[in-house]
Amino acid sequence: MPHITFQPQNKTVDGQKNETIFDIAQQHNIAVQTACQGKATCGLCRIVIINGEDSLSPFTQDEEKHLGNVYFITKERLSCQTKIIGTNDVVVEVK
């Protein structure tokens, strides 16, 4: 089970396979901006992948709609579309 560290809160929690970063944050009372509650329609739940990209799901079309191709430059993603798929620890920065 991978550990997910949220910055700047410096809080590390356990994540389960196929859970989104958004859902993990909500379960552990870590504030992530949202207007759509994780449905990928608002584009507000942005995070930056600091470490552990190999344990996360690929960049989605819904993310590209909101972020363009900025992910490939800044590693910015939507937390509601970013799922845990591997076992390595992950570090993200909540925007």
Side-chain angles (χ1 to χ4, degrees):
M1 169 173 13
H3 300 290
I4 315 303
T5 300
F6 291 88
Q7 298 293 350
Q9 298 88 346
N10 199 31
K11 185 170 184 178
T12 301
V13 299
D14 291 333
Q16 299 290 329
K17 193 170 184 177
N18 293 318
E19 278 186 307
T20 67
I21 299 294
F22 180 82
D23 288 339
I24 295 167
Q26 295 295 303
Q27 292 167 19
H28 295 280
N29 297 317
I30 298 168
V32 175
Q33 284 190 332
T34 185
C36 70
Q37 297 301 313
K39 296 179 178 72
T41 59
C42 72
L44 295 175
C45 64
R46 296 174 186 213
I47 56 172
V48 175
I49 309 304
I50 305 297
N51 197 10
E53 180 180 2
D54 58 334
S55 283
L56 301 173
S57 59
F59 191 69
T60 68
Q61 286 183 318
D62 285 330
E63 289 177 288
E64 186 172 0
K65 179 174 53 177
H66 290 287
L67 303 173
N69 63 359
V70 72
Y71 167 71
F72 302 102
I73 300 166
T74 65
K75 301 298 183 195
E76 192 169 304
R77 297 201 55 186
L78 298 181
S79 64
C80 70
Q81 297 298 294
T82 307
K83 291 184 180 182
I84 303 298
I85 61 167
T87 57
N88 293 330
D89 294 346
V90 175
V91 179
V92 301
E93 177 185 348
V94 179
K95 299 300 280 178

